[in-house]
Amino acid sequence: MSEVLRLENITRRYKEGEGQLEVFSDLSLAISAGEIVALVGPSGSGKSSLLHIAGLLEAPTSGEIIIEGTATSGLPDAERTAIRRDRMGFVYQAHHLLPEFDALENVVLPQMIAGRSKGEAAKEAARLLETLGLGQRLTHRPAQLSGGEQQRVAIARALANRPRLLLADEPTGNLDPKTSGGVFDALIEITRAQGLAALIATHNLELAGRMDRVLMLHQGRLVEGSQAR
């Protein structure tokens, strides 16, 4: 399997008063195509910060982020933006759908921004939404959809530009347990079908245990495998 994401010796510190708060230090990980990795840890451990760094949304204090063999720390902002747009998909705890647009339009828009024609974008959006069980809800706006349906639209939007890497931050955190399980199943199924690499932060250890690997972020360190469960 080809390696999609590598983090090398990542350290992140923030200014705090007169000193600095070190969130994590010298973290390294690698994820290959087709591999789904859970990131777990207590609230405030830095899971979101690590995802933002992996997604080139936040710069580490030191270390390197390598996307499909490309070291990114020295790249201009425009090239980093292009990597995010073309190779990454993001799913958050809140769906952040545009309320004035229906489900199909919410998935069409990012594709058109990336340069795809409206017709091609609509065809791909419909395919993704149908795969996620929303074939009968294409023309419904977010307010007309359940919480689980809204998050499925958000997943389709994240995958619309055919990324190589999916980053998800508590993607089922706002949902009840039954709905959460269904959305998670859909997320995993479509991620595997498309052969993506995925790093998914979750507080749900049962869901984490269904992924290929579990990484626990604890006291600034990553613990991998059975030790994390």
Side-chain angles (χ1 to χ4, degrees), residues 26-209:
D26 203 31
L27 294 189
S28 297
L29 66 86
I31 305 177
S32 298
E35 187 177 26
I36 301 174
V37 178
L39 179 64
V40 302
S43 179
S45 61
K47 298 190 300 296
S48 293
S49 185
L50 189 60
L51 282 173
H52 290 165
I53 287 171
L56 308 182
L57 294 168
E58 181 179 325
T61 305
S62 62
E64 183 63 83
I65 305 101
I66 300 169
I67 306 296
E68 294 189 303
T70 300
T72 62
S73 62
L75 295 179
D77 286 345
E79 290 188 33
R80 290 162 62 87
T81 298
I83 289 174
R84 283 197 303 271
R85 182 192 66 220
D86 298 337
R87 304 194 206 179
M88 299 180 181
F90 300 87
V91 181
Y92 300 99
Q93 184 170 336
H95 55 74
H96 298 301
L97 299 177
L98 298 172
E100 66 271 30
F101 295 105
D102 64 29
L104 189 75
E105 291 165 338
N106 266 280
V107 183
V108 163
L109 283 171
Q111 298 179 72
M112 293 183 66
I113 291 170
R116 191 172 293 176
S117 72
K118 186 175 182 179
E120 290 177 337
K123 184 177 180 180
E124 178 65 3
R127 183 190 73 81
L128 286 167
L129 290 167
E130 287 166 4
T131 300
L132 288 162
L134 294 173
Q136 304 302 312
R137 312 290 276 173
L138 302 184
T139 59
H140 289 64
R141 293 187 179 185
Q144 299 170 302
L145 301 173
S146 69
E149 288 171 336
Q150 291 171 352
Q151 197 65 326
R152 286 170 189 252
V153 176
I155 292 167
R157 180 183 58 190
L159 300 179
N161 284 327
R162 300 177 185 176
R164 301 288 296 134
L165 173 65
L166 178 69
L167 299 169
D169 193 357
E170 300 284 3
T172 62
N174 281 340
L175 305 175
D176 64 78
K178 182 178 180 181
T179 304
S180 175
V183 170
F184 182 80
D185 288 342
L187 173 63
I188 294 301
E189 182 177 352
I190 197 168
T191 300
R192 290 201 189 284
Q194 298 198 12
L196 305 182
L199 181 61
I200 302 175
T202 180
H203 65 273
N204 187 320
L205 296 180
E206 188 273 326
L207 296 183

